[in-house]
Amino acid sequence: MCGIAGIIAPAGQSPDRLILESMASAIGHRGPDGHGFHLRERAGLAHCRLAIIDLATGDQPMSNEDGSLWIVFNGEIYNHLDLRRELEAKGHVFVTKSDTESIIHAYEEYGPDCARRLRGMFGFAIWDERRQILFAARDKLGKKPFFYAAGQDGFLFASEPGGLLAHPGVSREPDLHALNLYLTLQYVPDPLCAFRAVSKLPPAHHLTWDVSGLRLTRYWRPEFEPKWTQSEELLAEELRERLTEATRIRLMSEVPLGAHLSGGIDSSIITAIMAGLCAEPVKTFSIGFKEQAFSELPKARAVARRYGTEHHEFQLEYGHVPDTLEEVVAHVGEPFADPSALPSWFLARMTREHVTVALNGDGGDELFAGYQRYWLDPLANIYASLPAALTQRLLPALLDRLPQRGDKPIEADWVAGLKRLAQVARISPKASIVRWGSYFAPWEAAALWRDEPRGQALAGDGAEALLAGYFDEARAASFLDRTLAVDMAAYLPGDLLVKADRMCMAHGLEGRSPLLDADLADWAARLPGNMKMRGRTGKHLLRRAFADVLPPEVLAGGKRGFGIPVGKWLREDLSGWCRELLLGGVAARRWFRPEELARVLEEHAGGRADHGKRLWALAALELWLRRFGAA
């Protein structure tokens, strides 16, 4: 796991080494074990290494036999030994044991199709000296990032926005349309970036850049048809074998590794599998809160006891918020409003004190339908068909009178669910997460903007249309599968995997996600709907396949996100901090209507509504503006 950066200068020019070193330094936290550089004619490549495998000979940038191809790579390729044998049989000569070398020889042999053959997580760039072409690719599910900027300075790339901003030719001007999408989605979606001059390579895409320009190609998408027809018993057995194998190959490491154990089903299963595969006790790491409604530490402890793990815990409190949120925003490089990034930050910090690699349970909800909204959506579709006088006026007016304290997780807050009904009826069913999980509904986000920036902010497709596009292009027949396809294309890489990558890499920790194995994702997509959602219970087949390895309290527990009591904190101990930050901030002076900000603050303070996540999003945006000088 590493950080990469590069400059491909215009024809006749050479990259500036000092600028390249500055770009590498800006992302140096991703690879604290050493920096490497390659500069030759037009190309300058930089690599920050976190050494995991092939500690002796895995340094980058790395070349092929004749030095005509040079690569910088961030990630892990779990099938690299199989690729190596295949490529050696075709005459390729290897001089290291590194998975990086398998990529560069695969590109020699297969060209751009090499990306499709890689099983793992990756963002890499290859400079083809002979053909004067840059080729870059990102993994199928978007676990590893790739940011780029193309302009008069040539083609620039880096693992994080900060690497690009270290180049003096990259403007910090914000993209207001991207920020408007952020207000609804809680992240800036691919291929947009919060900085107008910067773009993200979307998951499952590769690009080429040469004298003719930039070309992006999608090389993979999940196929949900045809469905598997085996019995439930056989499918459960196969799932168990596949996930065990996906976990086993992620134990490849020459440094210590452990597991992030939240207490939920997914991370508990991964811990159980690891315990069966490892000779030594698994090191496990968990985060909790003194607000017991949000803490799953008792469940995590039950798993730890069952498998005799070496268990470590950290308790997060409101006092950690102000300074840590600034660090979170700095490492993401864009506004990022998922509050669970905060516990993830401390989880990664604690973990890195003991190990260098940690497996996690990310992806189970998106592959196997774990969110409540998957079973709520069909009911919401019926509700939305009722007369607007009921759904948009009468019922919302009655529900608006209910107080909302924000002192429990959203999955257990029935008042929050009822207050969502008016929004649910107005939002396309194709945009499930905007219906149920948006911070600001599209019309609420629009109401924040002052007149002058409003036109730019609202230009282009909104969040609803963006997700509807993914829904329509999904290779799936059922409503549930199309919704899963949307979440795999948008929410997973835009939010959850950004959080996982940046929080771990901020501390020089590598995170691995067995449930997000691309081969497993291909297989899971073709499961029948009742193997994923059974009544109001999600992840049906996953639960059945691993029922014997989970403590009863974990197996019986409902879905709970990695949430924090943000509503309570921002109403009580952090209310003054939040008010001062927002009303005295850059956004309030330049972009947003102060009276709208004041209204949201007052409604939250009075308990009329739980605006905790909205205020969190606005706070993260304001801290980003101050950190990067983007206004």
Side-chain angles (χ1 to χ4, degrees):
M1 199 69 64
C2 308
I4 62 175
I7 304 171
I8 309 301
Q13 300 182 32
S14 299
D16 186 306
R17 183 181 180 93
L18 291 179
I19 293 177
L20 184 62
E21 289 177 351
S22 294
M23 293 171 68
S25 178
I27 58 171
H29 51 272
R30 296 184 67 91
D33 296 329
H35 287 188
F37 298 92
H38 167 76
L39 286 96
R40 183 176 176 182
E41 298 178 1
R42 294 178 61 198
L45 305 178
H47 185 259
C48 312
R49 187 180 187 198
L50 177 63
I52 303 294
I53 60 173
D54 191 19
L55 303 185
T57 64
D59 290 340
Q60 300 181 45
M62 187 178 290
S63 71
N64 62 343
E65 299 97 321
D66 63 7
S68 62
L69 298 174
W70 285 85
I71 184 173
V72 281
F73 158 59
N74 166 34
E76 300 286 355
I77 306 301
Y78 301 114
N79 65 333
H80 78 99
L81 293 177
D82 293 335
L83 274 174
R84 182 189 183 105
R85 286 188 287 269
E86 176 185 315
L87 292 163
E88 285 177 331
K90 293 178 179 292
H92 293 269
V93 178
F94 284 72
V95 296
T96 76
K97 298 178 181 179
S98 170
D99 53 350
T100 309
E101 194 174 6
S102 293
I103 302 174
I104 201 164
H105 288 302
Y107 176 75
E108 282 187 294
E109 185 68 31
Y110 304 115
D113 192 51
C114 68
R116 187 179 56 81
R117 297 169 178 265
L118 302 177
R119 183 180 183 184
M121 51 184 177
F122 54 84
F124 67 81
I126 295 175
W127 173 242
D128 189 328
E129 182 78 33
R130 186 177 294 115
R131 299 167 61 205
Q132 297 286 285
I133 291 175
L134 182 90
F135 174 77
R138 191 175 174 202
D139 66 75
K140 294 175 181 177
L141 293 168
K143 285 174 275 190
K144 293 292 105 184
F146 191 92
F147 292 82
Y148 67 92
Q152 64 181 10
D153 293 303
F155 186 88
L156 317 172
F157 66 87
S159 293
E160 295 177 8
L164 292 174
L165 296 176
H167 192 291
V170 177
S171 170
R172 295 182 178 230
E173 178 188 359
D175 185 335
L176 298 191
H177 173 57
L179 298 184
N180 188 62
L181 292 173
Y182 157 79
L183 291 172
T184 293
L185 295 174
Q186 75 198 34
Y187 61 90
V188 176
D190 300 330
L192 299 176
C193 179
F195 300 99
R196 182 182 293 276
V198 178
S199 299
K200 302 171 193 155
L201 181 63
H205 281 69
H206 56 65
L207 66 78
T208 56
W209 185 85
D210 56 20
V211 293
S212 63
L214 180 67
R215 296 177 298 282
L216 271 68
T217 303
R218 183 165 187 167
Y219 67 86
W220 175 87
R221 68 175 73 239
E223 304 278 352
F224 290 82
E225 304 290 337
K227 293 300 185 186
W228 304 120
T229 58
Q230 295 97 316
S231 68
E232 182 175 319
E233 181 179 0
L234 288 177
L235 288 172
E237 182 179 343
E238 184 171 358
L239 172 55
R240 187 156 178 158
E241 292 173 355
R242 284 179 174 271
L243 185 51
T244 299
E245 194 261 346
T247 304
R248 180 188 59 77
I249 63 176
R250 282 164 176 79
L251 299 178
M252 172 184 69
S253 175
E254 295 178 22
V255 295
L257 51 78
H260 284 162
L261 177 59
S262 70
I265 287 176
D266 304 329
S267 64
S268 298
I269 288 173
I270 299 304
T271 299
I273 295 173
M274 289 179 67
L277 294 172
C278 297
E280 300 294 326
V282 177
K283 295 179 173 65
T284 53
F285 306 90
S286 302
I287 290 284
F289 310 92
K290 67 178 182 180
E291 293 86 357
Q292 292 303 307
F294 289 83
S295 185
E296 291 197 289
L297 284 180
K299 293 181 181 180
R301 291 166 187 159
V303 176
R305 284 194 301 270
R306 178 161 181 166
Y307 293 102
T309 74
E310 182 185 311
H311 191 56
H312 306 267
E313 296 179 352
F314 183 86
Q315 182 168 287
L316 183 63
E317 299 178 0
Y318 71 86
H320 293 115
V321 171
D323 292 341
T324 308
L325 184 54
E326 288 190 40
E327 292 293 335
V328 167
V329 169
H331 282 276
V332 174
E334 298 183 275
F336 190 70
D338 187 338
S340 64
L342 204 72
S344 296
W345 170 277
F346 286 100
L347 181 64
R349 190 181 73 174
M350 173 178 61
T351 303
R352 188 61 177 88
E353 294 173 357
H354 301 271
V355 301
T356 311
V357 178
L359 276 64
N360 59 57
D362 290 350
D365 295 308
E366 291 75 22
L367 265 63
F368 296 98
Y371 296 124
Q372 286 182 340
R373 56 187 168 86
Y374 294 141
W375 66 262
L376 284 170
D377 269 328
L379 300 178
N381 294 341
I382 296 172
Y383 174 78
S385 68
L386 299 175
L390 174 64
T391 62
Q392 297 299 305
R393 293 190 290 275
L394 178 58
L395 195 55
L398 295 173
L399 294 174
D400 190 51
R401 300 179 181 180
L402 293 175
Q404 193 176 357
R405 298 169 55 190
D407 58 352
K408 61 183 69 174
I410 189 66
E411 294 87 1
D413 191 345
W414 63 271
V415 174
L418 289 174
K419 288 194 171 189
R420 279 270 173 178
L421 289 177
Q423 176 172 315
V424 163
R426 291 181 63 177
I427 297 291
S428 167
K430 297 178 181 180
S432 173
I433 197 166
V434 176
R435 270 180 156 185
W436 298 104
S438 62
Y439 283 16
F440 290 90
W443 54 90
E444 292 171 334
L448 282 174
W449 294 95
R450 293 173 183 257
D451 292 339
E452 185 176 351
R454 182 184 175 92
Q456 183 182 337
L458 302 186
D461 287 341
E464 189 176 358
L466 175 71
L467 299 189
Y470 288 126
F471 186 96
D472 290 338
E473 69 182 21
R475 294 177 177 175
S478 72
F479 182 90
L480 173 61
D481 282 342
R482 285 182 177 271
T483 301
L484 291 172
V486 173
D487 287 340
M488 289 175 65
Y491 178 56
L492 182 64
D495 183 326
L496 302 182
L497 295 180
V498 170
K499 174 182 64 180
D501 174 78
R502 306 302 195 281
M503 298 307 97
C504 283
M505 296 310 299
H507 298 91
L509 176 72
E510 175 173 313
R512 296 179 178 176
S513 309
L515 282 158
L516 288 177
D517 182 271
D519 288 2
L520 178 62
D522 276 325
W523 181 85
R526 293 177 57 188
L527 288 172
N530 65 354
M531 295 293 102
K532 300 171 183 175
M533 180 66 63
R534 183 72 60 91
R536 295 194 301 172
T537 301
K539 298 188 279 198
H540 171 75
L541 191 70
L542 188 66
R543 290 171 180 269
R544 171 166 180 176
F546 292 94
D548 62 319
V549 306
L550 297 175
E553 58 266 52
V554 174
L555 187 63
K559 168 64 185 174
R560 182 186 295 180
F562 198 14
I564 67 175
V566 59
K568 179 178 183 293
W569 288 352
L570 293 178
R571 180 174 290 126
E572 298 173 1
D573 304 278
L574 296 176
S575 60
W577 168 80
C578 185
R579 173 176 289 274
E580 181 179 353
L581 182 68
L582 299 188
L583 295 184
V586 178
R589 295 195 303 270
R590 296 283 302 276
W591 297 337
F592 296 151
R593 299 177 184 275
E595 63 272 20
E596 276 297 306
L597 298 177
R599 180 189 61 80
V600 175
L601 284 162
E602 291 303 324
E603 288 184 358
H604 184 73
R608 179 179 173 185
D610 180 9
H611 292 316
K613 289 186 176 180
R614 294 183 177 93
L615 295 173
W616 189 271
L618 293 169
L621 175 57
E622 181 62 33
L623 292 172
W624 174 76
L625 290 171
R626 297 184 182 190
R627 177 78 181 208
F628 291 97

